[in-house]
Amino acid sequence: MRFDTRAVHVGEEPNLAPGGTGDVVMPIHLSSTFARAEIDVPTAGYEYSRSGNPTRDGLERRLAALEDGQHGLAFASGLAAETAVVLTLLRPGDHVVLFDDLYGGSRRLFTKVFGEQWGLSLTFVDATDTARVAEALRPETRMIWMETPTNPLLKLCDIEAICELVQDRECLVAVDNTFMTPAFQRPLALGADLVVHSTTKYLNGHSDSVGGAVIVNSDALHERLRFHQNAAGAVLSPFDSFLVLRGLKTLGVRMRAHQEAALRIAGWLSDRAEVARVIYPGLDSHPQHDLAARQMSGFGGMVSFELIGGLTAARRLLENVRIFALAESLGGVESLIESPALMTHASVPPEARREIGLTDGLVRLSVGIESVEDLLEDLDRALKRTQA
Ligand SMILES: Cc1ncc(COP(=O)(O)O)c(C=O)c1O
């Protein structure tokens, strides 16, 4: 089955067996516990909804199928998924190499919780250059944690080249694929051991659920993560699992629409006098456009740009848009706008922001699927007011 067909059908096959009701849509199995006909035999394999739930199972199977993986696990948030990966697969004293331009919350989780409180040792590198990742490796490096493209500077790392660096080492490669989604990028096929998602974003796609996921190929990794998921308990609820299953049906269609509008807006912004630079992997001007075209089958719906007028202009722009909602998060059908320095990345210390090039005048767009002409008119009106 091809991608768009898998997105609609895997994990949601109608039950036509005797006693099955043939639902075309996955029911929301709200039951916290499952009655048994026989003491020793859980009915249809289910005992208790933290350990396993039919709606969540359906979602986990679909997530695996879309990422070309063997096993999917759904968690209560993207950060809960990241926490499960670290607590299951790493130990205090282990060393992790991370991209220096991660989502602010991921960076905070690693530095404040797993670094300062728990004892991981961390090296943040500019992973746009694979050589820097190689230089950062130590004998005790047990994981490389990448996000590509990054949030919000849309920097890329070469997943395949990074995986090759550690193929003979006891070191796992985890890739946060939230921005591209499996519609445009499949890290497992490029050699990664784990794919992580905030399903809150494009996978659910409608800004009405918070969730996370991990997808792996290895049975051994899956067994350990599955044990942790049940033992620690940060599972995705049946209702949220239903929402993400529903959202995933249109993932391919939505991603193509997001990308078409984003490309148009990125090109349009590039010609504006108020804008110092536009960052979008689909533009020739993106320093890693060639890698983007090779590694991804699309360029996504996120566009960042820097205003000549800095923070003052950014504030004016955000105050004057009408269709773009001023909000954190991304990946929904509605367009969002935000200032990373003031909002999503405020938890990153100012000096760390400066080091990676995250300036105060940077604005991030999550381009939705509205009519692009309306979005351009909205930006045009608000950009003109940045000069006032
Ligand atoms: C790239 C990326 N990874 C992880 C997360 C964390 O996910 P959640 O907010 O679902 O915990 C986010 C949230 O914005 C994100 O953008």
Side-chain angles (χ1 to χ4, degrees):
M1 267 193 279
R2 290 167 183 78
F3 186 82
D4 285 343
T5 314
R6 277 182 270 155
V8 174
H9 292 292
V10 175
E12 210 165 353
E13 303 86 357
N15 181 357
L16 299 174
T21 50
D23 300 74
V24 169
V25 171
M26 171 63 84
I28 308 173
H29 290 268
L30 290 173
S31 198
S32 56
T33 189
F34 299 87
R36 299 182 183 203
E38 293 172 53
I39 293 174
D40 299 322
V41 186
T43 310
Y46 295 106
E47 301 174 343
Y48 182 63
S49 269
R50 169 165 37 75
S51 323
N53 172 280
T55 315
R56 197 176 79 225
D57 270 9
L59 171 63
E60 291 179 334
R61 282 197 285 129
R62 182 169 301 166
L63 289 166
L66 294 181
E67 281 287 1
D68 288 340
Q70 292 299 317
H71 309 284
L73 301 105
F75 292 91
S77 69
L79 291 182
E82 296 181 22
T83 299
V85 168
V86 173
L87 290 180
T88 306
L89 303 174
L90 298 173
R91 293 287 165 269
D94 286 349
H95 176 244
V96 183
V97 178
L98 308 96
F99 210 142
D100 62 6
D101 181 33
L102 297 181
Y103 161 62
S106 301
R107 194 178 171 116
R108 180 180 55 200
L109 176 67
F110 274 99
T111 50
K112 299 282 178 203
V113 179
F114 291 121
E116 289 171 22
Q117 288 176 24
W118 200 64
L120 276 189
S121 114
L122 309 168
T123 306
F124 289 91
V125 294
D126 176 0
T128 56
D129 182 357
T130 307
R132 302 232 177 136
V133 180
E135 278 162 25
L137 293 175
R138 299 187 201 156
E140 69 276 19
T141 307
R142 292 285 167 267
M143 187 172 282
I144 297 180
W145 186 279
M146 294 289 132
E147 198 180 296
T148 180
T150 58
N151 178 2
L153 291 168
L154 304 172
K155 295 182 191 170
L156 277 71
C157 65
D158 186 333
I159 299 174
E160 205 165 12
I162 289 173
C163 291
E164 270 168 28
L165 286 180
V166 292
Q167 63 185 0
D168 298 326
R169 286 172 176 251
E170 197 193 319
C171 174
L172 298 166
V173 178
V175 177
D176 183 333
N177 201 24
T178 299
F179 267 39
M180 274 307 111
T181 83
F184 288 157
Q185 179 170 268
R186 312 263 169 85
L188 294 178
L190 297 170
D193 300 288
L194 302 116
V195 168
V196 178
H197 276 283
S198 167
T199 61
T200 316
K201 312 294 168 1
Y202 289 107
L203 296 192
N204 178 54
H206 295 75
S207 307
D208 51 12
S209 160
V210 171
V214 181
I215 299 106
V216 295
N217 266 326
S218 145
D219 295 343
L221 283 182
H222 172 238
E223 206 174 300
R224 293 170 69 189
L225 287 161
R226 186 65 74 187
F227 173 82
H228 176 96
Q229 185 194 40
N230 180 44
V235 290
L236 192 67
S237 76
F239 186 66
D240 286 288
S241 299
F242 164 80
L243 286 175
V244 183
L245 265 173
R246 184 163 73 164
L248 281 173
K249 291 177 201 185
T250 54
L251 180 65
V253 181
R254 283 187 285 109
M255 290 308 290
R256 292 191 284 277
H258 285 299
Q259 145 159 292
E260 197 182 318
L263 191 57
R264 179 102 183 266
I265 290 175
W268 180 87
L269 283 169
S270 306
D271 294 333
R272 295 291 300 210
E274 303 90 342
V275 175
R277 66 170 175 141
V278 181
I279 312 170
Y280 181 66
L283 291 180
D284 286 343
S285 60
H286 190 285
Q288 295 172 291
H289 176 66
D290 290 347
L291 174 61
R294 176 157 48 87
Q295 179 162 277
M296 299 152 21
S297 56
F299 301 111
M302 300 301 295
V303 178
S304 294
F305 59 101
E306 205 176 308
L307 287 164
I308 286 173
L311 194 59
T312 313
R315 275 189 183 280
R316 286 211 186 109
L317 180 75
L318 302 184
E319 281 161 8
N320 281 292
V321 283
R322 291 183 197 157
I323 296 176
F324 280 86
L326 174 57
E328 301 199 0
S329 199
L330 59 109
V333 290
E334 60 289 302
S335 292
L336 304 180
I337 192 166
E338 67 114 5
S339 152
L342 297 175
M343 297 166 70
T344 45
H345 291 65
S347 64
V348 180
E351 60 284 4
R353 290 206 300 263
R354 264 193 300 278
E355 249 169 55
I356 60 169
L358 200 166
T359 58
D360 288 350
L362 194 78
V363 173
R364 189 189 77 179
L365 303 179
S366 172
V367 178
I369 63 166
E370 303 95 333
S371 296
V372 70
E373 282 73 20
D374 288 329
L375 299 178
L376 291 173
E377 279 168 27
D378 197 29
L379 288 173
D380 180 51
R381 191 176 42 240
L383 275 172
K384 283 178 179 146
R385 300 202 172 156
T386 62
Q387 308 288 299

